[in-house]
Amino acid sequence: GGVKVAEQKNLVKQNRIKTLENKMEKTRVKYNEAVAYNKSLREQVDNLRRERVVFDGVYRRLEKELADKKTEMHKLVEVSAAAYEALER
């Protein structure tokens, strides 16, 4: 009797250990998948940040070009008005 009970308890413990090891392995796999996904997201964020730097530079250049064109247009309007005024005299 006593040996049989000890063997039964040992079997239960071994089964519990196997169950926990399987659970741990599944959890490890999920963790590794999450780490890989996180790495992918970080790479995407880094790429988007680099793109933003480029687009910000383009935007600033276009803003300056627009401001320069507006200034040039105002000067031409003034010159045109002065020329028209001179013709009327």
Side-chain angles (χ1 to χ4, degrees), residues 77-89:
V77 167
E78 288 175 3
V79 167
S80 175
Y84 182 76
E85 230 179 84
L87 284 177
E88 286 188 344
R89 289 182 191 173

Side-chain angles (χ1 to χ4, degrees), residues 8-55:
Q8 185 66 25
K9 285 183 178 180
N10 193 27
L11 186 61
V12 169
K13 286 180 184 179
Q14 286 177 353
N15 285 338
R16 180 72 176 139
I17 288 170
K18 282 182 185 178
T19 301
L20 291 172
E21 285 175 342
N22 286 338
K23 189 174 182 179
M24 184 175 71
E25 178 63 17
K26 287 179 184 178
T27 302
R28 188 186 62 78
V29 167
K30 283 185 179 181
Y31 171 78
N32 287 337
E33 288 172 352
V35 168
Y37 183 63
N38 192 26
K39 181 182 177 189
S40 171
L41 290 176
R42 286 180 191 275
E43 289 171 357
Q44 288 178 31
V45 167
D46 289 343
N47 288 337
L48 290 171
R49 285 181 176 151
R50 281 191 287 276
E51 285 180 19
R52 184 182 68 194
V53 168
V54 170
F55 288 131

Side-chain angles (χ1 to χ4, degrees), residues 52-81:
R52 184 182 68 194
V53 168
V54 170
F55 288 131
D56 284 349
V58 169
Y59 180 79
R60 280 192 302 277
R61 183 176 52 82
L62 290 172
E63 284 281 301
K64 184 183 180 328
E65 189 177 325
L66 178 62
D68 291 347
K69 295 292 181 188
K70 283 182 179 180
T71 300
E72 184 180 343
M73 185 178 72
H74 287 298
K75 287 179 183 176
L76 288 173
V77 167
E78 288 175 3
V79 167
S80 175

